[in-house]
């Protein structure tokens, strides 16, 4: 028997398994973290752009964009280095601001700000909270080629330069996280977020739109809309990180918004795509612990990955603490629908971003036997069509995903 520790919230759940029956599909991110010197060397050699010190002059303002508490990006180390370099280049601390790309997520707490940036930074550099609703901090900047009105946080337009910092991993309909997503949807209005996300769903087929999916960029309508929206912001220097399971930076790609992001995505796809010969009857998936299982909306991403490895009608066991519940107070309302098709029709008559997540979750529960190890109560699980997980006495063959949110699975003969 072998044992693997599966992350759950801030802890782990040990799982014993027969190696001849279960295969582990783990992220290949066990590299040692980069030291400051190595990261600085990478910042000196950007892709498709000049080093940011060569374009930022003393007296000009700089806005640094970082993810919120639902992402692990190694931002603390990167922000500290960037701020020090800016100051050494002549930018004064009061000319620097940091904004959290929360999109339609909740606001970042003071404790989380210290974790994302370190107290050294939060005590010295002004931080800004983004709000996707209301008009006080939003400005219309134009339309995409598809006619979507783009409204972004005014701080992006008021700053002379913008530096985005975010991690690259797979995303179930945007293809990949990071890059342009720090601006849209991260700093966009609620209406812009909804309009761009709606491109992922085909209301004629009541299914996900062709070309939209994990690891896809070319021809992906959602990615293309995000990128168009982000390009309304000028003088953007993009920093994309790859992090290990501890959230430490193991690689950095920086430079032009599109070029640096594409290079990072290509590297992650090459390293983190698992090609399996066959699907199996049992898939045990951990989200990878906090923040990937902070709530159900985030944890769903690992469930989507697990479904790609499971035989239709098979059993998926998802480890997701969900310490902050479902993620939105109205998320469970979508599960009043009797079927995923009924939910899809409701979604198309009144689109909301998290309705699409609910549709995907429910459609997976209809195709597989889904169980969860979670802090969610029994009443919630029943509404989700999910059972409490039991890891004992598993028979048959299966896969184990220790970090389901960070890998892509494809089936090839």
């Amino acid at each position: 028997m072998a044992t693997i520790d599966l992350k759950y919230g801030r802890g782990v759940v040990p799982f014993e398994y027969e190696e001849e029956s279960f295969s582990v599909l783990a992220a290949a991110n066990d590299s040692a973290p980069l030291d400051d010197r190595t990261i600085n060397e990478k910042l000196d050699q950007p892709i498709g752009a000049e080093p940011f010190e060569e374009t930022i002059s003393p007296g000009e303002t700089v806005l640094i964009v970082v993810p919120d508490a639902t992402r692990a990006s190694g931002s603390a180390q990167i922000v500290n280095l960037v701020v020090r370099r800016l100051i050494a280049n002549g930018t004064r601390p009061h000319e620097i601001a940091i904004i959290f790309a929360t999109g339609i997520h909740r606001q970042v707490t003071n404790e989380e700000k210290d974790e994302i940036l370190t107290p050294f930074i939060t005590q010295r550099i002004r931080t800004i909270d983004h709000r996707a609703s209301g008009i006080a901090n939003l400005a219309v900047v134009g339309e995409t080629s598809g006619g979507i009105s783009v409204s972004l946080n005014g701080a992006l337009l008021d700053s002379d330069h913008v530096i985005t910092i975010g991690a690259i991993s797979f995303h179930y309909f945007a293809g990949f996280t990071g890059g342009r997503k720090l601006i849209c949807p991260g700093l966009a209005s609620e209406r812009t977020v909804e309009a761009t996300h709606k491109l992922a769903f085909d209301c004629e087929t009541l299914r996900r739109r062709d070309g939209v999916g994990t690891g896809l960029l070319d021809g992906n309508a959602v990615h293309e809309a995000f990128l168009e929206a982000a390009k309304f912001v000028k003088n953007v220097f993009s920093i994309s990180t790859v992090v290990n399971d501890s959230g430490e930076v193991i690689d950095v790609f920086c430079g032009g918004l599109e070029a640096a992001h594409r290079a990072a995505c290509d590297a992650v796809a090459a390293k983190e795509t698992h090609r399996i010969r066959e699907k199996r009857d049992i898939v045990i998936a951990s989200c990878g612990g906090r923040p990937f299982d902070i709530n159900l909306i985030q944890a769903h991403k690992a469930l989507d990955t697990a479904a790609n490895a499971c035989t239709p009608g098979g059993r998926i066991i998802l480890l997701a603490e969900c310490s902050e519940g479902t993620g939105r107070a109205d998320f469970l309302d979508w599960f009043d629908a009797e079927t995923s098709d009924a939910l899809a029709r409701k979604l198309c008559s009144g689109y909301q971003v998290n309705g699409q997540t609910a549709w995907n979750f429910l459609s997976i529960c209809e195709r597989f036997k889904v169980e969860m190890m979670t802090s969610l109560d029994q009443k919630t699980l029943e509404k989700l069509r999910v059972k409490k997980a039991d890891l004992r006495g598993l028979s048959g063959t299966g896969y184990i995903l220790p970090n389901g949110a960070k890998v892509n699975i494809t089936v090839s003969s």
Side-chain angles (χ1 to χ4, degrees), residues 314-365:
R315 185 178 178 187
I316 298 175
I317 301 175
L318 180 68
L319 281 69
E321 183 183 43
C322 301
S323 61
E324 296 188 6
T326 59
R328 280 183 66 94
D330 59 355
F331 184 68
L332 281 180
D333 294 344
W334 291 98
F335 292 85
D336 290 338
E338 292 187 5
T339 65
S340 61
D341 280 352
L343 194 158
R345 287 190 289 271
K346 179 182 176 183
L347 178 66
C348 289
S349 65
Y351 185 85
Q352 292 180 17
V353 172
N354 293 311
Q356 187 170 175
T357 302
W359 169 81
N360 198 48
F361 193 104
L362 183 54
S363 66
I364 292 173
C365 290

Side-chain angles (χ1 to χ4, degrees), residues 1 8 11 39 54 85 157-158 171 193 214 270 341 389 406 412:
M1 297 284 283
Y8 177 82
I39 293 175
E54 295 187 15
R85 289 174 67 125
L157 311 177
D158 295 338
H171 190 279
V193 173
T214 304
D341 280 352
K406 298 177 71 173
S412 59

Side-chain angles (χ1 to χ4, degrees), residues 95-138:
E95 294 167 336
I96 305 170
I98 301 173
I99 190 168
F100 299 94
T102 50
I104 60 171
H105 298 168
R106 66 162 174 81
Q107 298 297 294
V108 179
T109 67
N110 289 333
E111 292 77 10
E112 289 167 343
K113 289 179 181 180
D114 284 345
E115 186 175 351
I116 294 168
L117 302 175
T118 73
F120 178 85
I121 293 295
T122 58
Q123 292 167 13
R124 291 164 174 81
I125 303 297
R126 179 170 65 96
T127 61
I128 302 172
D129 297 313
H130 170 69
R131 288 177 172 80
S133 58
I135 60 174
N137 67 333
L138 298 168

Side-chain angles (χ1 to χ4, degrees), residues 29 42 68 97 110-112 136 155 165 175-176 218 231 240 248 268 278 284 297-298 326 335-336 347 365 400 405 413:
N29 58 13
K42 289 180 176 290
D68 65 9
N110 289 333
E111 292 77 10
E112 289 167 343
I165 300 170
F176 293 88
D218 294 331
K231 285 183 176 180
S240 293
E248 300 165 319
V268 168
E278 60 179 4
I284 301 167
I297 291 172
Q298 295 303 318
T326 59
F335 292 85
D336 290 338
L347 178 66
C365 290
I400 301 170
S413 56

Side-chain angles (χ1 to χ4, degrees), residues 27 71 74 96 104 123 126 141 147 152 163 175 222 244 272 337 396 411:
R71 304 288 188 267
I96 305 170
I104 60 171
Q123 292 167 13
R126 179 170 65 96
V141 296
L152 300 174
I163 298 176
V222 178
N244 60 20
E272 306 295 2
V411 181

Side-chain angles (χ1 to χ4, degrees), residues 222-267:
V222 178
H223 160 69
E224 290 170 352
F226 286 167
L227 186 59
E228 277 193 73
K231 285 183 176 180
F232 283 112
V233 181
K234 306 304 179 184
N235 300 326
V236 178
F237 187 88
S238 175
I239 301 174
S240 293
T241 64
V242 181
V243 301
N244 60 20
D245 290 343
S246 299
E248 300 165 319
V249 177
I250 60 174
D251 209 347
V252 173
F253 299 81
C254 67
L257 179 65
E258 187 171 5
H261 180 252
R262 174 70 71 151
C265 292
D266 289 345

